[in-house]
């Protein structure tokens, strides 16, 4: 579509956003990764313009998510000795935007973004060793996952 519009980024905004989303979900790394992976496909002016469109894409993605439900939620899955905690934070798209504080009895999760102000204090099913906790960002689900093996 971008080629058929004479490299007009504004005319192919929807397709560009789909490309951003697919790249972000698959590789992470933001616009720098997208530009690196697509620099051979487009002229320099297109990748420069894409950098400005990236932020508008993120803003539109966050506003769409916030329209639906902006409430953070969590789910504890598994049973002792293997327990996992999944935390849904609408509008958060990467691990760098989340602060985790793990104690023996609860997990505190807080967003760093002022536009997506989430803060949860999640009680754990029993006392857990904070040092045994492993945190991972699940790219496809866009959620942090914390797991313990007791």
């Amino acid at each position: 579509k971008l080629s058929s519009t004479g490299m007009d980024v504004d005319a192919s905004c929807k397709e560009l956003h789909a490309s951003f989303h697919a790249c972000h979900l698959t590789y992470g790394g933001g616009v720098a990764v997208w530009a690196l992976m697509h620099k051979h496909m487009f002229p320099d002016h297109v990748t420069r313009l894409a950098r400005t469109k990236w932020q508008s894409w993120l803003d539109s993605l966050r506003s769409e998510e916030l329209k639906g439900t902006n409430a953070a939620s969590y789910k504890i899955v598994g049973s002792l000795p293997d327990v996992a905690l999944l935390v849904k934070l609408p509008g958060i798209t990467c691990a760098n935007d989340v602060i985790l504080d793990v104690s023996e009895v609860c997990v505190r999760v807080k967003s760093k973004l002022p536009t997506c102000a989430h803060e949860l204090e999640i009680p754990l099913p029993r006392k857990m060793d904070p040092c045994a906790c492993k945190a991972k960002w699940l790219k496809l689900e866009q959620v942090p996952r914390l797991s313990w093996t007791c």
Side-chain angles (χ1 to χ4, degrees):
K1 173 92 180 190
L2 193 56
S3 295
S4 69
T5 61
M7 298 297 168
D8 183 356
V9 174
D10 290 324
S12 24
C13 212
K14 184 178 179 182
E15 289 78 13
L16 191 59
H17 286 187
S19 176
F20 287 160
H21 192 241
C23 184
H24 184 68
L25 286 178
T26 306
Y27 306 106
V31 71
V33 171
W34 182 90
L36 179 68
M37 295 183 74
H38 292 84
K39 70 180 178 182
H40 67 283
M41 297 174 68
F42 306 117
D44 287 340
H45 79 279
V46 171
T47 54
R48 277 195 306 275
L49 281 171
R51 289 178 186 275
T52 62
K53 294 293 180 186
W54 179 269
Q55 190 58 50
S56 71
W57 170 74
L58 281 179
D59 293 343
S60 69
L61 179 68
R62 288 186 177 125
S63 68
E64 283 175 25
E65 287 177 345
L66 291 174
K67 283 179 192 171
T69 174
N70 62 355
S73 61
Y74 68 92
K75 179 168 62 171
I76 297 175
V77 294
S79 58
L80 296 173
D82 298 315
V83 177
L85 172 67
L86 298 170
V87 183
K88 182 181 172 193
L89 302 165
I92 303 297
T93 58
C94 72
N96 291 335
D97 295 337
V98 179
I99 299 169
L100 296 173
D101 179 23
V102 181
S103 74
E104 289 183 333
V105 293
C106 73
V107 174
R108 288 178 196 82
V109 183
K110 185 175 180 180
S111 164
K112 291 181 184 178
L113 300 177
T115 56
C116 301
H118 301 297
E119 191 167 349
L120 290 174
E121 186 166 322
I122 304 164
L124 296 173
R126 70 175 196 122
K127 277 192 170 183
M128 306 288 251
D129 180 5
C131 296
C133 177
K134 294 179 186 174
K136 181 178 180 176
W137 182 261
L138 303 179
K139 287 183 186 177
L140 292 178
E141 292 89 354
Q142 297 283 303
V143 298
R145 179 183 191 273
L146 289 85
S147 60
W148 291 264
T149 300
C150 302

